[in-house]
Amino acid sequence: MTRADAPLTTTPSSALLEVRAVSKSFGGLHVLRAVDLTIARGSITGLIGPNGAGKSTLFNIVSGFLAPDRGDVIYHGRPIGRISVVDRSRAGLVRTFQTPQVFGHLTVRENLVAGCHKLGRSGMLADMLGLPLARRELAQMQRRAALTAARFSLEPVADVLAGKLPVGQQRLLELARAAIADPELLCLDEPSSGLNGDEVDQLARMLTQLNEEGMTVFLVSHDMELMGCAATVNVLCFGETIASGPFAAVKADPRVREAYLGA
Amino acid sequence: MSVEPIRAPAAALLTHRHLRRLVGATLALAGIAIWAALPQVLSRGTVDLLVFTALYAIAGLGVAFLLGQCGIVSLAQSVFYGIGAYATAYCCTTWGWPWYAALVIGMVISGATALVIGWPVLRLSGYFLALATLALATIGHVLFLEWDWLTGGTLGVGGIPQISLFGLVLNTPQKFYYFIWPLAALIYWLLYNLLHSRSGYAMRAMRDAPAAALVLGIDVHKLKVRIFVLSALLGSLAGSLFANYVSFVSVDSFGVDRAVSFLLLAVVGGAQSVIGPLFGAAFVTLVPNLLSRVGDVHPLLFAGVLVVAVIFLPQGMGGLVTTLWRRLWPPAPPAPGSGT
């Protein structure tokens, strides 16, 4: 049984995030036209579409890097259209990037410690003076980083500068760093890009495991193998949603085959 | 039986670590002994240069922190250096305030100025930000010149009282030397702590990948403004102490060339290491003085030395020292099963 045919890992119960009638234009180019999308709490939700479909734009609107022209993004039942990326992150909405954005001059371990930032409260003064609160928090962050490095098989490279890692490990590090602070919604932009088959398998296992632990995952990918993890897949084409549903059903949809799969 | 093979390498690691620490402690003690003895064996003029090295190192450390840890090129440090100096000059000569009260006033004004200016300006990045800080340095210099009711204009302000500590007036370079260097060491220790803390990781994360830092909940803009304010406080502190030390301040000390020299010492010293600006400060203070003995061509020679230093030491002098230290005494690998 392939991952594409695997049963759904979770049953969506309620919406964690909703995209409601979002439109976005750049100059005269309409990139998104009243797009609706629902990410159920505890699910893995996928977004696919051919190049230029508007996936990245929608992803950037969800994560707060772009503001919609019309429509809104609802998270936990509240509109977050005007909320900054930082506040979204603190509310549990974390994303990764299509090109891995690791902190290249920090080691893998230090990248993971930096990922714990929002779990701490110590200010700059306490940090400068080395007050007990600051030391205690840093020690906790370092312990968490060590556990996460072990979990994501990054222990052997823990003291290597992240910028010197191959792309596959950089992607894994970015995923580990995003997951380290237990986000509620993990948004992944083309996470399998540049990975070989084994690495994609490892990524899929990791995502499924994170999801089984309660993390909701929003996945934008070209990789149909990886998309097999998703409970619901949305297909975007020329800025409009043309299909939404279980992967097998979406895959069989003639409009999708025509627009995306080219068959 | 299975314990034996583990105990042997553990003991070796222990020895290596102890040896490394022992060498480090010995070098540190030797350094302190040499530092304490220098004013007794060097000429007054040379000790004076070492005092300026410490003053510039304090101001330059702020610039280096911005550059090396946050990726911000700042040419505005001369403004905060000037604010500190003029605050001390005015408060001490006009109102007769003690040096420490004037120093605090200078830091409050500098911090507030950095906050108000930094909030909008630090939304820029790269060359635009560098040019904006250059504009600040230029505006600051013009204001120092024009506000002669406060700064004395081209005539400057004289008669600034020297620092008095528990009845001991620091009226010689030797006395000031023993005051300024421990203060510089304290500031270095504070910034070292900061660099190796939660805030320090956030800063370096912001420098390497700002978008990823945002996603992790690091408020990049707020952090930049805080570091800019911290840098301004260091500039102001150095400026105030400079005014107390030389007893006279004039606008010539706070021009764009001073801003460039603060940036220069950060680059030459190595902005990514905490110790780097110290070497950079020694470079910009001592090397021109040594070269001046050659004659009028010394600025040209200094420029040549500078180019060679930048080409051959891309990580700066601090980077070279750190690399050499690690080559001579590489850190022991983490013990098996150790967490961090």
Side-chain angles (χ1 to χ4, degrees), chain A residues 47-222:
Chain A
L47 178 67
I48 59 172
N51 286 333
K55 301 187 300 292
S56 293
T57 303
L58 182 59
F59 194 82
N60 284 332
I61 286 173
V62 167
S63 56
F65 280 82
L66 282 176
D69 294 339
R70 280 186 298 281
D72 213 339
V73 179
I74 311 293
Y75 181 64
H76 273 295
R78 288 185 300 179
I80 57 166
R82 291 181 180 277
I83 291 180
S84 69
V85 176
V86 173
D87 287 337
R88 287 180 202 216
S89 171
R90 288 176 184 161
L93 196 162
V94 174
R95 68 166 284 184
T96 63
F97 294 84
Q98 196 166 349
T99 308
Q101 300 268 314
V102 294
F103 306 131
H105 293 93
L106 300 187
T107 64
V108 168
R109 194 190 304 280
E110 289 171 335
N111 265 265
L112 295 172
V113 172
C116 299
H117 181 81
K118 64 188 173 195
L119 300 176
R121 289 183 298 114
S122 68
M124 266 177 65
L125 193 59
D127 288 342
M128 280 173 87
L129 294 171
L131 294 183
L133 167 74
R135 286 170 182 267
R136 206 167 42 241
E137 278 188 358
L138 185 62
Q140 284 168 356
M141 288 160 71
Q142 285 170 332
R143 273 197 296 277
R144 201 177 177 103
L147 289 172
T148 306
R151 184 181 182 194
F152 283 78
S153 310
L154 288 166
E155 229 172 9
V157 291
D159 294 309
V160 176
L161 289 180
K164 297 202 183 284
L165 293 177
V167 175
Q169 282 185 319
Q170 287 195 0
R171 285 213 177 277
L172 198 59
L173 170 59
E174 203 187 19
L175 176 64
R177 197 183 60 191
I180 195 168
D182 291 333
E184 205 164 358
L185 176 57
L186 180 62
C187 303
L188 306 173
D189 192 1
E190 298 286 359
S192 60
S193 175
L195 303 189
N196 62 34
D198 290 343
E199 288 170 337
V200 175
D201 284 342
Q202 187 188 5
L203 176 67
R205 279 197 301 276
M206 199 52 79
L207 289 184
T208 307
Q209 194 182 335
L210 289 172
N211 179 242
E212 282 169 354
E213 289 168 11
M215 202 176 287
T216 307
V217 179
F218 178 42
L219 189 61
V220 175
S221 181
H222 274 103

Side-chain angles (χ1 to χ4, degrees), chain B residues 21 93 128 224 290 305 312-313:
Chain B
R21 280 185 190 168
T93 58
F128 299 103
K224 277 183 182 176
L290 288 172
V305 172
F312 289 103
L313 299 173

